[in-house]
Amino acid sequence: MFHIFSENGHNYVKKTAELATQFFIDPALDQPNVSRSILAGSSDFKIEQCQSNMFDQQFQAKILNVADVSYRGENGFNQVIELSSKILKDVRFIQEKYLIGKYYEKMGEDTRKCVSGVDDTLKALNGSY
């Protein structure tokens, strides 16, 4: 695969790798301070980054997924979580997100197997719901 990669692009990848080391490698221990990471963005820089060998090798080993997202900010964050949900299935946040989704699904069905709020909870416990 042949790419024409500009000097600015190269500098961007290099600076990103330096910042990743600064933020994700504990200088006192010379060890990553994250257990895993996902590289995400909307351009090809993330792919160039992974293939560049500029990342600290310890951090590089922590990258589980490279995801192409369409959004920035919170929407982009949510999109990358969704795209990586199979990889992150054992992460507590993903498990809780799934459980909350199931809870709202049951609430929408109105089966009376799920309640919310103090009054409805007390009624359900007393059998008068």
Side-chain angles (χ1 to χ4, degrees):
M1 188 158 117
F2 179 73
H3 288 284
I4 298 175
F5 201 57
S6 71
E7 186 176 339
N8 285 342
H10 176 78
N11 291 339
Y12 179 80
V13 168
K14 183 178 178 185
K15 184 65 174 176
T16 304
E18 290 169 358
L19 288 171
T21 299
Q22 179 183 337
F23 291 121
F24 302 121
I25 301 294
D26 184 335
L29 302 173
D30 192 32
Q31 294 283 329
N33 59 14
V34 294
S35 60
R36 50 195 149 198
S37 182
I38 296 170
L39 200 57
S42 60
S43 71
D44 287 338
F45 282 113
K46 64 191 169 299
I47 296 166
E48 296 289 340
Q49 187 74 65
C50 276
Q51 297 172 350
S52 73
N53 294 328
M54 289 187 197
F55 271 142
D56 179 285
Q57 293 305 304
Q58 295 176 92
F59 178 69
Q60 180 84 30
K62 301 295 182 181
I63 297 174
L64 300 179
N65 191 23
V66 178
D68 196 24
V69 294
S70 305
Y71 304 102
R72 296 174 62 178
E74 187 175 343
N75 289 336
F77 181 74
N78 289 329
Q79 185 181 21
V80 80
I81 288 172
E82 192 65 36
L83 291 170
S84 303
S85 62
K86 288 181 182 174
I87 294 168
L88 299 173
K89 66 182 181 282
D90 62 331
V91 174
R92 187 173 177 179
F93 174 80
I94 300 299
Q95 294 168 347
E96 289 178 4
K97 183 178 177 186
Y98 172 79
L99 289 173
I100 289 171
K102 293 299 281 180
Y103 171 76
Y104 282 120
E105 185 180 302
K106 292 295 180 190
M107 290 292 288
E109 292 172 4
D110 196 25
T111 60
R112 303 216 180 235
K113 292 181 181 179
C114 242
V115 295
S116 67
V118 174
D119 291 338
D120 288 346
T121 301
L122 290 173
K123 286 178 188 175
L125 289 171
N126 292 327
S128 61
Y129 185 72

